[in-house]
Amino acid sequence: MWKHRRLFGNLQTLVVGNIEAASGDDWLYLNGEGKILNLAPNPPRALLLLEETGVPADVYCGKVVFLGETHYGSEGNVP
């Protein structure tokens, strides 16, 4: 349980606020209030997601953290 709390706290620190998660073939975490807080847009991350998935993405504001996914569906190293 402590491991998950540390990870959650680390993710909040990295995205500078509350986290929002998305999962497909990989995991992505971003500041869930980035647009509301008027954080700077992060188009390179949206472009990276488009290249990886072929699906157009919304403009992400603030920092974005990408993680890979294990065979069991949990977070893993980025491939």
Side-chain angles (χ1 to χ4, degrees):
M1 182 168 160
W2 292 108
K3 179 181 174 184
H4 295 294
R5 284 187 183 176
R6 276 196 314 267
L7 176 62
F8 184 77
N10 289 341
L11 288 170
Q12 283 186 307
T13 301
L14 289 170
V15 302
V16 191
N18 293 325
I19 61 171
E20 183 175 328
S23 174
D25 291 334
D26 296 311
W27 286 86
L28 132 79
Y29 293 95
L30 63 144
N31 187 318
E33 300 172 333
K35 289 181 185 174
I36 296 168
L37 297 173
N38 208 18
L39 298 178
N42 197 336
R45 298 302 163 243
L47 180 59
L48 178 63
L49 195 58
L50 174 63
E51 290 172 355
E52 291 295 320
T53 64
V55 177
D58 196 358
V59 173
Y60 300 126
C61 295
K63 296 179 180 180
V64 179
V65 177
F66 287 91
L67 296 175
E69 186 170 276
T70 67
H71 294 288
Y72 303 106
S74 61
E75 300 153 341
N77 295 329
V78 176

